[in-house]
Amino acid sequence: MKTAIVYDWLVTYAGAERVLEQIIRLYPEADIFTLYDFIPQGQRGFLLDKPTTTSFLQKFPLARKKYRSYLPLMPLAIEQFDLTGYELVISVSHAVAKGVITGPDQLHIAYVNSPIRYAWDLMYQYLDEAELTEGPKSWLTRLILHYIRNWDVRSSNTVDHFIGNSRFIVRRIKKFYRREAVHIYPPVDIDAFELTTDKDDFYLTASRLVSYKKTTAIVEAFNRMPDKKLIVAGDGPEYRKIKSLAGRNITMTGYLPTAALKKYMQKARAFIFAAEEDFGIVPVEAQACGTPVIAFGKGGCLETVIDRETGLFFHEQTPDAIIEAVTEFESVNHFDPYRMRDNAARFSVDNFRRNFMDFVEQKLTEFTRKRPGYNCLDFNFVSDKIKQRAQSVSL
């Protein structure tokens, strides 16, 4: 069965790319289509070193650094991929990948990490942070996002089946596209994070330092708790601003490789997470280390953290709310690290692979049986081959 995998853009290896990696391992013969591919040689292992087909945007001026600036052209670009001849199309999308054009004899399954955040309910936050709340540039941006929303809804009609990366995203798919979806949680490499019960007396937060992560609120909270130590791991556009705010009890590490970050995560008294995420892989990794999570109680964290068992929630992204949560955490502090590890295991790579393969297998069966000239024996042969391959591909 000829398969195409469509992805928004390849510029780094982060959470969404882990989903892509496992899907490629399930379908190693598939061809990969993406708007941009700037992954250098030597770092393409998660792609199985496969070549990709890129869009005309790949060669645009400054595309490597300013690829998001071409958002108005992305719907056009994704529609130019000729997928004629592919029987199964799998898109992994947080922007436009689901908008590829397919026909009635092609099964299109879309794994959605999120509908386009900055075009829908987070538009006002995006405009505010980009200082585009008024003036000609603001209205031009609003016009572009209006066009993107219209295209986003129209293109959702060509998807046969939706998968959301959490129940939270399933609700957003229902709200924006009026389509039903199932949720399959992203794969988290639980085995790479060993349980540690011996903790040190510091708190940890780790993320890319951008505005919506609300790291500033965490730092401001710990500035008001000078007797408590905080380590901030990560780099990004807000690094200098946050560093200038940080008191003596706060250590800024900058970017950390996985091995170094894991050591901090294993020894931290608790992990602080203030962002509203669609899923949020890092809080799951912290729990895999036996480290409780103090998290903003909205979005994906409501599904990955169990209140008063594997962590605590605060309900406003403010220093006051974080201080209150840390104070409550220290008064409770009876969290069982083995319970945290068991909770994190729900999001393992094995579970993702099994759930994703079962879903695709079911929809392929339904789709194939409806096609003219359906042959039960031929399909069963293909089905068995798919299952054997899934079992044989190493994690």
Side-chain angles (χ1 to χ4, degrees):
M1 182 167 291
K2 196 173 181 183
T3 302
I5 298 173
V6 186
Y7 194 67
D8 292 305
W9 50 72
L10 289 165
V11 297
T12 188
Y13 178 73
E17 286 73 27
R18 301 184 197 189
V19 174
L20 175 66
E21 176 181 16
Q22 294 305 322
I23 293 175
I24 292 173
R25 289 181 180 276
L26 289 172
Y27 302 92
E29 301 94 349
D31 295 324
I32 304 173
F33 296 81
T34 184
L35 294 179
Y36 309 94
D37 182 356
F38 296 124
I39 304 296
Q41 294 297 327
Q43 298 179 25
R44 303 181 65 84
F46 72 98
L47 300 171
L48 301 187
D49 293 317
K50 292 171 64 70
T52 61
T53 299
T54 57
S55 73
F56 61 82
L57 296 177
Q58 175 84 10
K59 297 181 180 180
F60 270 39
L62 302 177
R64 184 181 294 270
K65 292 184 178 180
K66 301 289 185 179
Y67 59 92
R68 286 190 178 92
S69 300
Y70 293 113
L71 175 65
L73 295 176
M74 288 182 185
L76 174 64
I78 206 73
E79 291 177 347
Q80 303 314 303
F81 289 134
D82 183 3
L83 303 184
T84 304
Y86 291 95
E87 297 166 279
L88 174 62
V89 176
I90 300 171
S91 60
V92 182
S93 181
H94 58 79
V96 299
K98 69 166 182 54
V100 290
I101 297 174
T102 55
D105 291 329
Q106 296 172 291
L107 178 64
H108 180 187
I109 296 174
Y111 187 96
V112 177
N113 289 300
S114 176
I116 308 175
R117 300 177 185 90
Y118 36 85
W120 290 101
D121 51 328
L122 297 184
M123 180 186 74
Y124 306 103
Q125 178 179 325
Y126 162 74
L127 292 173
D128 183 58
E129 292 172 355
E131 298 181 351
L132 290 171
T133 56
E134 57 185 4
K137 288 185 178 179
S138 173
W139 287 109
L140 177 60
T141 303
R142 292 170 192 266
L143 180 63
I144 291 171
L145 293 178
H146 173 75
Y147 152 70
I148 292 294
R149 281 192 297 276
N150 287 340
W151 175 85
D152 199 30
V153 172
R154 182 194 63 74
S155 64
S156 71
N157 294 322
T158 65
V159 175
D160 294 296
H161 302 285
F162 277 101
I163 304 171
N165 78 349
S166 64
R167 291 188 178 93
F168 177 61
I169 293 303
V170 167
R171 296 202 306 273
R172 297 186 82 215
I173 290 170
K174 178 69 173 179
K175 178 74 173 181
F176 304 144
Y177 303 153
R178 299 300 178 187
R179 295 288 305 276
E180 299 296 330
V182 301
H183 75 279
I184 297 177
Y185 292 121
V188 183
D189 190 2
I190 303 300
D191 293 337
F193 294 84
E194 299 84 7
L195 175 70
T196 302
T197 58
D198 182 23
K199 304 297 182 180
D200 288 341
D201 191 23
F202 67 86
Y203 292 85
L204 172 69
T205 188
S207 69
R208 181 162 169 75
L209 300 182
V210 292
S211 179
Y212 88 93
K213 297 289 188 179
K214 303 300 180 182
T215 308
T216 300
I218 299 174
V219 168
E220 290 176 349
F222 276 82
N223 279 340
R224 291 160 54 185
M225 298 184 288
D227 58 321
K228 306 183 194 307
K229 297 178 181 179
L230 173 69
I231 293 177
V232 179
D235 201 354
E238 291 207 325
Y239 179 85
R240 290 185 179 179
K241 171 187 173 182
I242 294 172
K243 188 174 179 62
S244 68
L245 295 173
R248 293 183 178 181
N249 59 320
I250 299 171
T251 301
M252 305 280 295
T253 69
Y255 169 78
L256 288 177
T258 301
L261 177 60
K262 182 173 68 173
K263 290 181 180 179
Y264 280 117
M265 199 173 287
Q266 289 172 320
K267 301 296 287 184
R269 185 172 183 179
F271 184 84
I272 315 287
F273 193 76
E276 178 185 342
E277 288 284 16
D278 307 317
F279 175 73
I281 285 179
V282 182
V284 177
E285 294 174 339
Q287 292 174 81
C289 296
T291 300
V293 177
I294 302 173
F296 178 52
K298 195 172 181 181
C301 276
L302 290 175
E303 301 171 48
T304 61
V305 178
I306 303 174
D307 194 25
R308 296 183 175 276
E309 289 190 33
T310 69
L312 285 175
F313 292 122
F314 55 92
H315 300 286
E316 294 180 355
Q317 294 169 303
T318 63
D320 286 340
I322 295 169
I323 291 170
E324 184 178 345
V326 171
T327 302
E328 182 180 3
F329 169 79
E330 293 189 349
S331 68
V332 178
N333 206 11
H334 61 263
F335 299 94
D336 181 358
Y338 296 96
R339 177 71 180 97
M340 297 171 211
R341 178 76 181 189
D342 289 342
N343 183 53
R346 297 188 292 133
F347 309 101
S348 68
V349 172
D350 282 346
N351 283 345
F352 172 83
R353 291 164 62 86
R354 180 174 60 252
N355 293 335
F356 189 86
M357 178 60 78
D358 286 348
F359 182 84
V360 173
E361 186 75 10
Q362 175 191 344
K363 298 308 177 184
L364 272 174
T365 301
E366 295 170 359
F367 180 75
T368 304
R369 286 175 176 169
K370 293 178 182 177
R371 294 176 65 177
Y374 162 68
N375 185 310
C376 179
L377 293 177
D378 287 347
F379 181 75
N380 285 341
F381 174 77
V382 173
S383 175
D384 289 341
K385 288 293 186 183
I386 291 175
K387 290 179 180 178
Q388 291 170 15
R389 180 179 61 207
Q391 294 170 358
S392 65
V393 174
S394 66
L395 298 179

